[in-house]
Amino acid sequence: AALPLYMLHQLEEHAGDRFRHAINAKFAGGREALTRRATFWINAGGVWIVDVVALWLAYHVDLAIGLLPIYLMGVNSLTHIAAAVADRAYNPGLWTAIGVFLPVSVWGAIEIGDGAAAGVGWQLIGLAFALAMHAAIMGYIRGQLGPSATA
């Protein structure tokens, strides 16, 4: 269910191109650091393809690999919630982050952890993967802004 749930979340985020505009306003001063093309590939490659591959590997290789999309949802939910708290405002994707991603990612980490006998190592791999994916997105946005954005 990870991929359909992510698609529901992406509908809330990207309807009307709201997420891309919000990111560009917040991190790029309104400049187009996050393009439509990049937004598509981040979602298609970083979510859809990753989820399909991870879920296929979870079925055929090791159920614990299913923690990758679960932690991707969990970290995503926490970034939306943290941004909303910091800004004291709604951000595109917040409601599905709170109502869908947070509970499903906690439940999924527990269920997969128990069902696959995935220990702390797999949990940490899932968390590290999700953090790296989100850091890569922020790195991309900062890279689009040029050297002055990292100073």
Side-chain angles (χ1 to χ4, degrees):
L3 187 54
L5 294 177
Y6 230 114
M7 290 176 169
L8 176 65
H9 174 71
Q10 289 169 337
L11 177 63
E12 180 191 359
E13 273 186 327
H14 300 292
D17 205 18
R18 294 179 304 171
F19 182 77
R20 190 177 68 81
H21 287 294
I23 291 296
N24 285 334
K26 183 172 183 166
F27 296 106
R31 292 180 290 165
E32 191 176 35
L34 186 59
T35 64
R36 288 176 190 257
R37 181 183 199 102
T39 301
F40 171 79
W41 284 111
I42 288 166
N43 284 288
V47 176
W48 303 344
I49 293 171
V50 165
D51 277 16
V52 168
V53 170
L55 295 171
W56 187 88
L57 290 170
Y59 182 79
H60 291 287
V61 178
D62 190 329
L63 181 59
I65 298 169
L67 288 167
L68 299 180
I70 295 299
Y71 272 94
L72 199 57
M73 285 194 311
V75 168
N76 189 300
S77 72
L78 295 177
T79 62
H80 279 282
I81 294 165
V85 169
D87 296 341
R88 295 179 179 219
Y90 168 82
N91 59 70
L94 178 63
W95 301 132
T96 51
I98 293 169
V100 178
F101 276 17
L102 190 59
V104 169
S105 61
V106 169
W107 172 79
I110 292 167
E111 285 297 312
I112 292 173
D114 288 347
V120 173
W122 271 110
Q123 299 285 343
L124 291 175
I125 289 169
L127 178 60
F129 174 78
L131 291 171
M133 292 290 285
H134 283 81
I137 295 166
M138 289 308 300
Y140 170 81
I141 292 168
R142 286 201 173 103
Q144 293 299 104
L145 296 173
S148 63
T150 57

